[in-house]
Amino acid sequence: MKKIILTLFQVLVVSACTSEEGKLKQLAIDSATQQFRSELKEEISKGVSEKLNLQATAVDIVTKRTEFEVLKSEVRGKDADVEVLAKTIPAKVKTSLIEIIARLDPRKERNLNVSDAIDLISQQMGISSDERATLVYRFKFKNKGSWQKQESP
Protein backbone atom coordinates (compact mmCIF):
# COMPACT_ATOMS: atom_id res chain seq x y z
CA MET A 1 0.00 0.00 0.00
CA LYS A 2 2.86 2.37 0.84
CA LYS A 3 4.43 1.67 -2.55
CA ILE A 4 1.20 2.55 -4.34
CA ILE A 5 0.83 5.82 -2.43
CA LEU A 6 4.50 6.68 -3.00
CA THR A 7 4.18 5.91 -6.72
CA LEU A 8 1.05 8.06 -7.03
CA PHE A 9 2.80 10.90 -5.23
CA GLN A 10 5.79 10.67 -7.59
CA VAL A 11 3.50 10.67 -10.63
CA LEU A 12 1.72 13.78 -9.34
CA VAL A 13 5.02 15.57 -8.69
CA VAL A 14 6.39 14.69 -12.13
CA SER A 15 3.17 15.73 -13.88
CA ALA A 16 3.08 19.03 -11.96
CA CYS A 17 6.68 19.77 -13.01
CA THR A 18 5.93 18.82 -16.60
CA SER A 19 2.85 21.03 -16.57
CA GLU A 20 4.83 24.01 -15.25
CA GLU A 21 7.61 23.38 -17.77
CA GLY A 22 5.04 23.17 -20.57
CA LYS A 23 3.47 26.47 -19.48
CA LEU A 24 6.91 28.10 -19.36
CA LYS A 25 7.84 26.85 -22.84
CA GLN A 26 4.50 27.99 -24.31
CA LEU A 27 4.93 31.42 -22.69
CA ALA A 28 8.43 31.65 -24.19
CA ILE A 29 7.14 30.71 -27.66
CA ASP A 30 4.31 33.26 -27.33
CA SER A 31 6.83 35.92 -26.25
CA ALA A 32 9.12 35.12 -29.19
CA THR A 33 6.18 35.22 -31.61
CA GLN A 34 5.09 38.60 -30.27
CA GLN A 35 8.63 40.02 -30.47
CA PHE A 36 9.09 38.60 -33.99
CA ARG A 37 5.80 40.19 -35.14
CA SER A 38 6.79 43.53 -33.61
CA GLU A 39 10.23 43.55 -35.27
CA LEU A 40 8.77 42.46 -38.62
CA LYS A 41 6.05 45.11 -38.48
CA GLU A 42 8.67 47.77 -37.75
CA GLU A 43 10.89 46.54 -40.60
CA ILE A 44 8.03 46.53 -43.11
CA SER A 45 6.72 49.93 -42.01
CA LYS A 46 10.19 51.45 -42.58
CA GLY A 47 10.10 50.30 -46.20
CA VAL A 48 6.40 50.91 -46.79
CA SER A 49 4.93 54.12 -45.44
CA GLU A 50 1.33 53.45 -46.50
CA LYS A 51 -0.70 50.33 -47.36
CA LEU A 52 -1.41 49.44 -43.73
CA ASN A 53 -3.71 46.53 -44.62
CA LEU A 54 -1.06 44.98 -46.84
CA GLN A 55 1.56 45.50 -44.14
CA ALA A 56 -0.63 43.68 -41.61
CA THR A 57 -1.29 40.87 -44.09
CA ALA A 58 2.44 40.47 -44.76
CA VAL A 59 3.19 40.34 -41.02
CA ASP A 60 0.49 37.70 -40.49
CA ILE A 61 1.60 35.50 -43.37
CA VAL A 62 5.32 35.67 -42.62
CA THR A 63 4.58 34.90 -38.96
CA LYS A 64 2.45 31.89 -39.96
CA ARG A 65 5.35 30.65 -42.10
CA THR A 66 7.73 30.96 -39.15
CA GLU A 67 8.38 28.00 -36.87
CA PHE A 68 9.18 28.61 -33.21
CA GLU A 69 10.77 26.02 -30.93
CA VAL A 70 12.40 26.10 -27.53
CA LEU A 71 16.14 25.48 -27.83
CA LYS A 72 17.03 25.59 -24.17
CA SER A 73 15.10 25.96 -20.96
CA GLU A 74 16.96 26.36 -17.69
CA VAL A 75 14.93 26.62 -14.49
CA ARG A 76 16.61 27.61 -11.23
CA GLY A 77 14.00 27.71 -8.49
CA LYS A 78 11.68 30.61 -9.30
CA ASP A 79 13.87 31.96 -12.14
CA ALA A 80 14.19 30.63 -15.67
CA ASP A 81 16.15 31.41 -18.81
CA VAL A 82 14.67 30.24 -22.10
CA GLU A 83 16.02 30.42 -25.65
CA VAL A 84 13.59 30.18 -28.56
CA LEU A 85 14.64 29.50 -32.14
CA ALA A 86 12.61 31.08 -34.93
CA LYS A 87 12.97 29.65 -38.45
CA THR A 88 11.57 32.11 -40.96
CA ILE A 89 11.77 33.10 -44.61
CA PRO A 90 15.25 34.10 -45.84
CA ALA A 91 16.20 37.76 -45.38
CA LYS A 92 16.61 38.38 -49.12
CA VAL A 93 13.08 37.06 -49.77
CA LYS A 94 11.71 39.32 -47.04
CA THR A 95 13.61 42.32 -48.46
CA SER A 96 12.26 41.66 -51.96
CA LEU A 97 8.73 41.29 -50.61
CA ILE A 98 8.99 44.66 -48.86
CA GLU A 99 10.30 46.26 -52.06
CA ILE A 100 7.40 44.82 -54.06
CA ILE A 101 4.86 46.06 -51.52
CA ALA A 102 6.47 49.53 -51.55
CA ARG A 103 6.33 49.80 -55.36
CA LEU A 104 2.85 48.37 -55.72
CA ASP A 105 0.18 50.71 -57.04
CA PRO A 106 -2.20 51.41 -54.12
CA ARG A 107 -5.17 50.56 -56.34
CA LYS A 108 -3.79 47.03 -56.78
CA GLU A 109 -3.06 46.51 -53.10
CA ARG A 110 -5.98 44.11 -52.63
CA ASN A 111 -4.83 41.98 -55.58
CA LEU A 112 -1.45 41.04 -54.12
CA ASN A 113 -1.40 37.53 -52.70
CA VAL A 114 1.48 37.77 -50.21
CA SER A 115 1.80 34.02 -49.83
CA ASP A 116 2.12 33.51 -53.59
CA ALA A 117 4.51 36.46 -53.80
CA ILE A 118 6.83 34.84 -51.24
CA ASP A 119 6.75 31.56 -53.17
CA LEU A 120 7.43 33.29 -56.51
CA ILE A 121 10.25 35.42 -55.09
CA SER A 122 11.88 32.30 -53.61
CA GLN A 123 11.47 30.43 -56.88
CA GLN A 124 12.91 33.31 -58.90
CA MET A 125 15.91 33.55 -56.55
CA GLY A 126 16.46 29.79 -56.67
CA ILE A 127 15.79 29.37 -52.97
CA SER A 128 14.26 26.07 -51.88
CA SER A 129 11.22 26.08 -49.64
CA ASP A 130 13.34 24.38 -46.97
CA GLU A 131 15.84 27.23 -46.76
CA ARG A 132 15.22 29.30 -43.64
CA ALA A 133 16.73 32.22 -41.79
CA THR A 134 17.13 31.65 -38.06
CA LEU A 135 16.73 34.02 -35.16
CA VAL A 136 17.27 33.28 -31.47
CA TYR A 137 15.27 35.02 -28.78
CA ARG A 138 16.36 34.89 -25.14
CA PHE A 139 13.99 35.54 -22.27
CA LYS A 140 14.14 35.61 -18.49
CA PHE A 141 11.10 34.52 -16.51
CA LYS A 142 10.21 34.67 -12.84
CA ASN A 143 7.61 32.50 -11.15
CA LYS A 144 5.32 34.70 -9.05
CA GLY A 145 2.50 32.19 -8.72
CA SER A 146 2.70 31.85 -12.51
CA TRP A 147 5.55 32.44 -14.94
CA GLN A 148 6.02 36.07 -15.96
CA LYS A 149 8.46 37.45 -18.50
CA GLN A 150 11.01 39.84 -17.07
CA GLU A 151 11.73 42.97 -19.07
CA SER A 152 15.28 43.46 -20.31
CA PRO A 153 17.27 46.16 -18.47
Side-chain angles (χ1 to χ4, degrees), residues 2 11 16 22-23 27 33 40 42 61 66 83 88 91 94 97 103 110 132 135 140-141 143:
K2 284 184 178 181
V11 167
K23 289 177 186 176
L27 182 58
T33 302
L40 181 61
E42 183 178 325
I61 289 173
T66 303
E83 288 184 5
T88 189
K94 182 173 48 173
L97 177 65
R103 289 189 307 233
R110 291 181 181 256
R132 311 296 249 159
L135 302 165
K140 292 188 179 295
F141 295 93
N143 193 334

Side-chain angles (χ1 to χ4, degrees), residues 41-59:
K41 183 177 180 181
E42 183 178 325
E43 185 178 354
I44 291 173
S45 67
K46 283 181 184 177
V48 181
S49 58
E50 297 174 356
K51 305 172 188 150
L52 298 178
N53 289 336
L54 195 52
Q55 286 183 35
T57 300
V59 169

Side-chain angles (χ1 to χ4, degrees), residues 4 11-12 19 31 36 50 56 59-60 63 71 78 83 88 107 112 125-126 149:
I4 293 172
V11 167
L12 288 173
S19 175
S31 297
F36 175 81
E50 297 174 356
V59 169
D60 287 342
T63 302
L71 281 180
K78 296 211 176 264
E83 288 184 5
T88 189
R107 294 176 299 212
L112 181 66
M125 292 182 161
K149 185 175 94 168

Side-chain angles (χ1 to χ4, degrees), residues 92-131:
K92 54 188 172 182
V93 173
K94 182 173 48 173
T95 301
S96 291
L97 177 65
I98 293 169
E99 290 171 0
I100 288 168
I101 292 172
R103 289 189 307 233
L104 186 66
D105 184 336
R107 294 176 299 212
K108 296 181 181 179
E109 180 178 337
R110 291 181 181 256
N111 297 337
L112 181 66
N113 183 322
V114 175
S115 212
D116 288 346
I118 291 169
D119 292 339
L120 290 170
I121 292 166
S122 298
Q123 185 179 26
Q124 187 176 26
M125 292 182 161
I127 297 172
S128 76
S129 59
D130 295 338
E131 191 173 326

